[in-house]
Short mmCIF file of all heavy atoms in Angstrom, two decimals:
data_model
loop_
_atom_site.label_atom_id
_atom_site.label_comp_id
_atom_site.label_asym_id
_atom_site.label_seq_id
_atom_site.Cartn_x
_atom_site.Cartn_y
_atom_site.Cartn_z
N LEU A 192 0.81 -1.21 0.00
CA LEU A 192 0.00 0.00 0.00
C LEU A 192 0.85 1.27 0.00
O LEU A 192 0.48 2.28 -0.60
CB LEU A 192 -0.94 -0.01 1.21
CG LEU A 192 -2.04 -1.09 1.18
CD1 LEU A 192 -2.74 -1.16 2.53
CD2 LEU A 192 -3.03 -0.82 0.07
N SER A 193 1.98 1.25 0.68
CA SER A 193 2.82 2.45 0.74
C SER A 193 3.50 2.72 -0.59
O SER A 193 3.66 3.88 -1.00
CB SER A 193 3.86 2.32 1.85
OG SER A 193 4.70 1.20 1.61
N ALA A 194 3.90 1.67 -1.30
CA ALA A 194 4.60 1.85 -2.57
C ALA A 194 3.66 1.86 -3.76
O ALA A 194 4.03 2.28 -4.86
CB ALA A 194 5.63 0.73 -2.76
N GLY A 195 2.42 1.40 -3.55
CA GLY A 195 1.48 1.32 -4.66
C GLY A 195 1.92 0.32 -5.71
O GLY A 195 1.68 0.52 -6.92
N ALA A 196 2.55 -0.76 -5.27
CA ALA A 196 3.08 -1.76 -6.20
C ALA A 196 2.91 -3.15 -5.59
O ALA A 196 2.47 -3.30 -4.45
CB ALA A 196 4.55 -1.49 -6.49
N ARG A 197 3.26 -4.16 -6.38
CA ARG A 197 3.15 -5.55 -5.92
C ARG A 197 3.97 -5.77 -4.66
O ARG A 197 5.10 -5.27 -4.55
CB ARG A 197 3.61 -6.50 -7.02
CG ARG A 197 3.44 -7.97 -6.66
CD ARG A 197 3.95 -8.88 -7.79
NE ARG A 197 3.79 -10.28 -7.43
CZ ARG A 197 2.72 -11.00 -7.69
NH1 ARG A 197 1.69 -10.45 -8.31
NH2 ARG A 197 2.65 -12.27 -7.35
N GLY A 198 3.42 -6.50 -3.73
CA GLY A 198 4.12 -6.85 -2.50
C GLY A 198 4.18 -8.35 -2.31
O GLY A 198 3.85 -9.12 -3.22
N SER A 199 4.59 -8.80 -1.14
CA SER A 199 4.70 -10.23 -0.83
C SER A 199 3.74 -10.60 0.28
O SER A 199 3.64 -9.89 1.29
CB SER A 199 6.12 -10.58 -0.39
OG SER A 199 6.18 -11.89 0.14
N ARG A 200 3.05 -11.71 0.11
CA ARG A 200 2.13 -12.19 1.15
C ARG A 200 2.87 -12.56 2.42
O ARG A 200 2.30 -12.59 3.51
CB ARG A 200 1.30 -13.36 0.64
CG ARG A 200 2.08 -14.64 0.38
CD ARG A 200 1.17 -15.75 -0.09
NE ARG A 200 0.48 -15.40 -1.32
CZ ARG A 200 -0.68 -15.95 -1.71
NH1 ARG A 200 -1.24 -16.89 -0.96
NH2 ARG A 200 -1.25 -15.58 -2.82
N GLN A 201 4.15 -12.86 2.30
CA GLN A 201 4.92 -13.25 3.48
C GLN A 201 5.16 -12.08 4.43
O GLN A 201 5.41 -12.29 5.62
CB GLN A 201 6.27 -13.84 3.03
CG GLN A 201 6.16 -15.11 2.20
CD GLN A 201 5.59 -16.28 2.97
OE1 GLN A 201 5.57 -16.29 4.21
NE2 GLN A 201 5.14 -17.30 2.25
N ASP A 202 5.08 -10.85 3.92
CA ASP A 202 5.38 -9.69 4.75
C ASP A 202 4.40 -9.51 5.91
O ASP A 202 4.73 -8.89 6.92
CB ASP A 202 5.37 -8.42 3.90
CG ASP A 202 6.53 -8.38 2.91
OD1 ASP A 202 7.49 -9.14 3.10
OD2 ASP A 202 6.46 -7.60 1.95
N HIS A 203 3.19 -10.05 5.79
CA HIS A 203 2.15 -9.78 6.77
C HIS A 203 2.41 -10.45 8.12
O HIS A 203 1.91 -9.98 9.15
CB HIS A 203 0.78 -10.20 6.23
CG HIS A 203 0.42 -9.49 4.95
ND1 HIS A 203 0.21 -8.14 4.89
CD2 HIS A 203 0.29 -9.95 3.68
CE1 HIS A 203 -0.07 -7.80 3.64
NE2 HIS A 203 -0.03 -8.88 2.89
N VAL A 204 3.17 -11.54 8.13
CA VAL A 204 3.46 -12.22 9.40
C VAL A 204 4.95 -12.28 9.69
O VAL A 204 5.34 -12.69 10.78
CB VAL A 204 2.87 -13.65 9.42
CG1 VAL A 204 1.35 -13.60 9.43
CG2 VAL A 204 3.36 -14.46 8.24
N ALA A 205 5.78 -11.89 8.74
CA ALA A 205 7.22 -12.01 8.93
C ALA A 205 7.71 -11.17 10.10
O ALA A 205 8.52 -11.62 10.93
CB ALA A 205 7.96 -11.62 7.65
N SER A 206 7.21 -9.95 10.21
CA SER A 206 7.69 -9.04 11.25
C SER A 206 7.38 -9.58 12.64
O SER A 206 8.26 -9.60 13.52
CB SER A 206 7.07 -7.66 11.06
OG SER A 206 7.43 -6.79 12.11
N ILE A 207 6.16 -10.03 12.86
CA ILE A 207 5.79 -10.51 14.19
C ILE A 207 6.49 -11.82 14.51
O ILE A 207 6.87 -12.08 15.66
CB ILE A 207 4.25 -10.63 14.34
CG1 ILE A 207 3.88 -10.83 15.80
CG2 ILE A 207 3.69 -11.76 13.48
CD1 ILE A 207 2.40 -10.69 16.06
N LEU A 208 6.72 -12.66 13.50
CA LEU A 208 7.47 -13.91 13.74
C LEU A 208 8.92 -13.60 14.10
O LEU A 208 9.51 -14.27 14.97
CB LEU A 208 7.40 -14.81 12.51
CG LEU A 208 6.10 -15.59 12.34
CD1 LEU A 208 6.03 -16.23 10.95
CD2 LEU A 208 5.97 -16.66 13.41
N ARG A 209 9.50 -12.61 13.45
CA ARG A 209 10.87 -12.22 13.81
C ARG A 209 10.92 -11.74 15.26
O ARG A 209 11.84 -12.09 16.02
CB ARG A 209 11.38 -11.12 12.88
CG ARG A 209 11.62 -11.56 11.45
CD ARG A 209 12.49 -10.56 10.70
NE ARG A 209 11.90 -9.23 10.68
CZ ARG A 209 11.10 -8.77 9.73
NH1 ARG A 209 10.78 -9.56 8.71
NH2 ARG A 209 10.62 -7.54 9.78
N ARG A 210 9.94 -10.98 15.64
CA ARG A 210 9.91 -10.45 17.01
C ARG A 210 9.73 -11.55 18.04
O ARG A 210 10.36 -11.53 19.11
CB ARG A 210 8.78 -9.42 17.12
CG ARG A 210 8.68 -8.76 18.48
CD ARG A 210 7.67 -7.62 18.46
NE ARG A 210 7.51 -7.01 19.76
CZ ARG A 210 6.71 -5.99 20.00
NH1 ARG A 210 6.01 -5.46 19.02
NH2 ARG A 210 6.61 -5.49 21.23
N LEU A 211 8.88 -12.51 17.76
CA LEU A 211 8.59 -13.57 18.73
C LEU A 211 9.69 -14.62 18.82
O LEU A 211 9.82 -15.28 19.85
CB LEU A 211 7.26 -14.25 18.37
CG LEU A 211 6.00 -13.41 18.57
CD1 LEU A 211 4.79 -14.12 17.97
CD2 LEU A 211 5.76 -13.14 20.06
N THR A 212 10.46 -14.80 17.74
CA THR A 212 11.46 -15.87 17.73
C THR A 212 12.90 -15.38 17.71
O THR A 212 13.82 -16.17 17.94
CB THR A 212 11.27 -16.77 16.49
OG1 THR A 212 11.53 -16.01 15.30
CG2 THR A 212 9.86 -17.33 16.44
N GLY A 213 13.10 -14.09 17.43
CA GLY A 213 14.46 -13.59 17.32
C GLY A 213 15.13 -13.91 16.00
O GLY A 213 16.34 -13.74 15.86
N ALA A 214 14.36 -14.39 15.02
CA ALA A 214 14.93 -14.77 13.72
C ALA A 214 15.18 -13.55 12.85
O ALA A 214 14.59 -12.49 13.04
CB ALA A 214 13.96 -15.72 13.00
N GLU A 215 16.05 -13.73 11.86
CA GLU A 215 16.30 -12.67 10.88
C GLU A 215 15.17 -12.58 9.86
O GLU A 215 14.87 -11.50 9.35
CB GLU A 215 17.61 -12.94 10.13
CG GLU A 215 18.87 -12.85 10.99
CD GLU A 215 20.11 -13.16 10.18
OE1 GLU A 215 19.99 -13.39 8.94
OE2 GLU A 215 21.21 -13.18 10.77
N ALA A 216 14.56 -13.72 9.55
CA ALA A 216 13.52 -13.75 8.52
C ALA A 216 12.57 -14.91 8.79
O ALA A 216 12.87 -15.81 9.58
CB ALA A 216 14.15 -13.89 7.14
N ALA A 217 11.42 -14.87 8.13
CA ALA A 217 10.40 -15.91 8.33
C ALA A 217 9.62 -16.13 7.05
O ALA A 217 9.52 -15.24 6.20
CB ALA A 217 9.45 -15.52 9.46
N LEU A 218 9.05 -17.32 6.94
CA LEU A 218 8.25 -17.70 5.77
C LEU A 218 7.19 -18.68 6.24
O LEU A 218 7.44 -19.51 7.12
CB LEU A 218 9.16 -18.32 4.70
CG LEU A 218 8.53 -18.78 3.39
CD1 LEU A 218 9.47 -18.46 2.22
CD2 LEU A 218 8.27 -20.28 3.41
N VAL A 219 5.99 -18.60 5.63
CA VAL A 219 4.87 -19.47 6.02
C VAL A 219 4.38 -20.26 4.82
O VAL A 219 4.16 -19.69 3.74
CB VAL A 219 3.70 -18.64 6.61
CG1 VAL A 219 2.52 -19.54 6.94
CG2 VAL A 219 4.16 -17.88 7.86
N VAL A 220 4.21 -21.58 5.01
CA VAL A 220 3.63 -22.44 3.99
C VAL A 220 2.44 -23.18 4.61
O VAL A 220 2.01 -22.85 5.71
CB VAL A 220 4.67 -23.43 3.41
CG1 VAL A 220 5.70 -22.69 2.58
CG2 VAL A 220 5.35 -24.22 4.53
N ASN A 221 1.91 -24.19 3.90
CA ASN A 221 0.60 -24.71 4.35
C ASN A 221 0.65 -25.73 5.48
O ASN A 221 -0.37 -25.96 6.11
CB ASN A 221 -0.19 -25.27 3.16
CG ASN A 221 0.55 -26.35 2.42
OD1 ASN A 221 1.50 -26.94 2.94
ND2 ASN A 221 0.16 -26.61 1.19
N ASN A 222 1.78 -26.36 5.76
CA ASN A 222 1.90 -27.18 6.97
C ASN A 222 3.38 -27.46 7.23
O ASN A 222 4.24 -27.12 6.40
CB ASN A 222 1.09 -28.48 6.90
CG ASN A 222 1.51 -29.40 5.78
OD1 ASN A 222 2.68 -29.45 5.40
ND2 ASN A 222 0.57 -30.15 5.25
N ASN A 223 3.68 -28.08 8.37
CA ASN A 223 5.08 -28.23 8.74
C ASN A 223 5.82 -29.24 7.87
O ASN A 223 7.02 -29.09 7.62
CB ASN A 223 5.20 -28.63 10.22
CG ASN A 223 6.63 -28.55 10.70
OD1 ASN A 223 7.30 -27.53 10.50
ND2 ASN A 223 7.12 -29.60 11.31
N ALA A 224 5.12 -30.29 7.41
CA ALA A 224 5.77 -31.23 6.50
C ALA A 224 6.21 -30.50 5.23
O ALA A 224 7.30 -30.76 4.68
CB ALA A 224 4.82 -32.38 6.16
N ALA A 225 5.37 -29.57 4.76
CA ALA A 225 5.72 -28.78 3.59
C ALA A 225 6.91 -27.88 3.88
O ALA A 225 7.77 -27.66 3.02
CB ALA A 225 4.52 -27.95 3.14
N ALA A 226 6.97 -27.34 5.09
CA ALA A 226 8.09 -26.47 5.46
C ALA A 226 9.40 -27.22 5.42
O ALA A 226 10.41 -26.74 4.88
CB ALA A 226 7.84 -25.89 6.86
N VAL A 227 9.40 -28.44 5.98
CA VAL A 227 10.62 -29.25 5.98
C VAL A 227 10.99 -29.65 4.55
O VAL A 227 12.16 -29.57 4.16
CB VAL A 227 10.43 -30.50 6.87
CG1 VAL A 227 11.64 -31.42 6.77
CG2 VAL A 227 10.18 -30.09 8.31
N MET A 228 10.00 -30.07 3.77
CA MET A 228 10.27 -30.47 2.40
C MET A 228 10.83 -29.32 1.58
O MET A 228 11.78 -29.49 0.81
CB MET A 228 9.00 -31.02 1.74
CG MET A 228 9.25 -31.57 0.33
SD MET A 228 7.83 -32.49 -0.32
CE MET A 228 6.65 -31.16 -0.51
N LEU A 229 10.27 -28.12 1.74
CA LEU A 229 10.75 -26.96 1.02
C LEU A 229 12.18 -26.62 1.42
O LEU A 229 13.02 -26.30 0.57
CB LEU A 229 9.83 -25.77 1.27
CG LEU A 229 10.23 -24.44 0.63
CD1 LEU A 229 10.30 -24.56 -0.88
CD2 LEU A 229 9.26 -23.33 1.04
N ALA A 230 12.47 -26.68 2.72
CA ALA A 230 13.81 -26.38 3.20
C ALA A 230 14.84 -27.33 2.58
O ALA A 230 15.91 -26.91 2.13
CB ALA A 230 13.87 -26.45 4.72
N LEU A 231 14.50 -28.61 2.54
CA LEU A 231 15.44 -29.59 2.00
C LEU A 231 15.55 -29.48 0.48
O LEU A 231 16.63 -29.65 -0.08
CB LEU A 231 15.01 -31.00 2.41
CG LEU A 231 14.99 -31.25 3.93
CD1 LEU A 231 14.52 -32.66 4.23
CD2 LEU A 231 16.37 -31.01 4.53
N ALA A 232 14.43 -29.19 -0.18
CA ALA A 232 14.47 -29.02 -1.64
C ALA A 232 15.31 -27.82 -2.02
O ALA A 232 16.08 -27.87 -2.99
CB ALA A 232 13.04 -28.86 -2.18
N ALA A 233 15.19 -26.73 -1.27
CA ALA A 233 15.93 -25.51 -1.60
C ALA A 233 17.40 -25.60 -1.25
O ALA A 233 18.24 -24.99 -1.91
CB ALA A 233 15.29 -24.32 -0.89
N LEU A 234 17.72 -26.37 -0.22
CA LEU A 234 19.10 -26.38 0.29
C LEU A 234 19.88 -27.64 -0.04
O LEU A 234 21.12 -27.63 0.04
CB LEU A 234 19.10 -26.18 1.81
CG LEU A 234 18.38 -24.95 2.36
CD1 LEU A 234 18.49 -24.92 3.88
CD2 LEU A 234 18.93 -23.68 1.75
N ALA A 235 19.17 -28.74 -0.38
CA ALA A 235 19.89 -30.01 -0.49
C ALA A 235 19.44 -30.89 -1.65
O ALA A 235 19.76 -32.08 -1.66
CB ALA A 235 19.74 -30.78 0.82
#
């Protein structure tokens, strides 16, 4: 809304997750099995 341009759906919860966990960044998917699978697919 501030830039009047396309944004990311991840931004809506990333800030509060960083605050609650102390993490540098955060991402949300549809369940935890998907989170683990995505992490391994992207990194390994």
Side-chain angles (χ1 to χ4, degrees):
L192 293 170
S193 60
R197 184 181 179 89
S199 170
R200 68 179 60 204
Q201 297 294 342
D202 292 343
H203 301 295
V204 292
S206 175
I207 192 169
L208 281 169
R209 291 197 302 268
R210 182 172 177 179
L211 290 171
T212 65
E215 293 179 3
L218 180 142
V219 177
V220 291
N221 57 19
N222 62 32
N223 190 50
V227 175
M228 184 169 68
L229 177 60
L231 298 179
L234 305 180

